Amino acid sequence: MIIIHEQLPKEAKHIVKTINTVYGLESILEEAKLENLFIPIPEFNGFKQSYHEIHEYFKDILEKEMMLILTGRDLYANNKSQDDDWILGYYYRNLAVVATARIKRHDNKQSAIVEVPEELYLKRAAYLAIHEIGHGVITGDHLKYAKWVNTKKGY
């Protein structure tokens, strides 16, 4: 597994250990600037999830290996509602993405600085990574593709 992070070395190292403990996977850790892959949503001060763009950019790697991208960006699945369209992460065809912008506080508001105890923040990041990676690692006949729908908005 390859883990690429955007200036989040402490979080990435913690996730590497957790992935190895939970799934027994060894990881290669790299730091990268991915600003050209995440499409800005200026009115939200955030970014689109950009799964097609990221997947296309890394397609040769993703055909052979699973990848986790760890970003501090505030990600959105849609640009209709800033209150309802934000996401913490996703999994798409061997690509897992975890966004830490909304796990740094006691509420779910975006933040550039960690306001909760560091141990809690690192656990949140690791749990999100394990969850998203699990979509690709845990397989079986009983598992079906599922899509999250915002019940308040209907999309």
Side-chain angles (χ1 to χ4, degrees):
M1 164 167 254
I2 298 171
I3 299 176
I4 298 176
H5 68 92
E6 291 188 291
Q7 299 178 334
L8 298 168
K10 185 181 292 186
E11 296 89 330
K13 287 176 186 172
H14 182 71
I15 288 170
V16 165
K17 290 178 190 172
T18 306
I19 288 170
N20 183 264
T21 300
V22 173
Y23 294 126
L25 297 174
E26 295 296 326
S27 301
I28 298 168
L29 189 56
E30 296 180 18
E31 185 169 342
K33 293 182 180 182
L34 304 174
E35 62 271 355
N36 294 330
L37 298 179
F38 288 101
I39 301 165
I41 305 176
E43 63 272 22
F44 288 3
N45 191 28
F47 297 85
K48 293 181 182 178
Q49 61 187 348
S50 305
Y51 58 89
H52 289 297
E53 293 80 3
I54 296 169
H55 200 278
E56 181 64 24
Y57 185 81
F58 290 111
K59 69 181 176 185
D60 293 339
I61 296 169
L62 291 168
E63 287 176 3
K64 303 174 208 151
E65 197 159 358
M66 188 178 297
M67 178 184 292
L68 169 69
I69 292 179
L70 182 62
T71 181
R73 299 170 191 273
D74 192 22
L75 300 182
Y76 292 83
N78 213 319
N79 63 350
K80 294 179 182 176
S81 170
Q82 188 171 11
D83 292 331
D84 295 318
D85 291 343
W86 57 268
I87 60 174
L88 297 173
Y90 62 88
Y91 179 83
Y92 176 73
R93 296 172 49 201
N94 243 11
L95 170 67
V97 174
V98 169
T100 63
R102 292 184 179 261
I103 64 171
K104 296 175 181 175
R105 295 172 39 132
H106 287 288
D107 57 18
N108 60 5
K109 304 297 183 199
Q110 73 168 281
S111 180
I113 60 169
V114 177
E115 299 177 26
V116 296
E118 184 176 280
E119 182 179 334
L120 175 61
Y121 167 65
L122 292 173
K123 280 183 182 180
R124 288 175 174 178
Y127 292 158
L128 282 170
I130 292 301
H131 171 88
E132 297 304 341
I133 292 164
H135 289 291
V137 173
I138 308 298
T139 59
D141 292 338
H142 65 284
L143 300 174
K144 304 292 181 201
Y145 174 76
K147 181 178 179 185
W148 180 82
V149 176
N150 182 325
T151 57
K152 290 194 298 187
K153 299 291 183 180
Y155 57 82

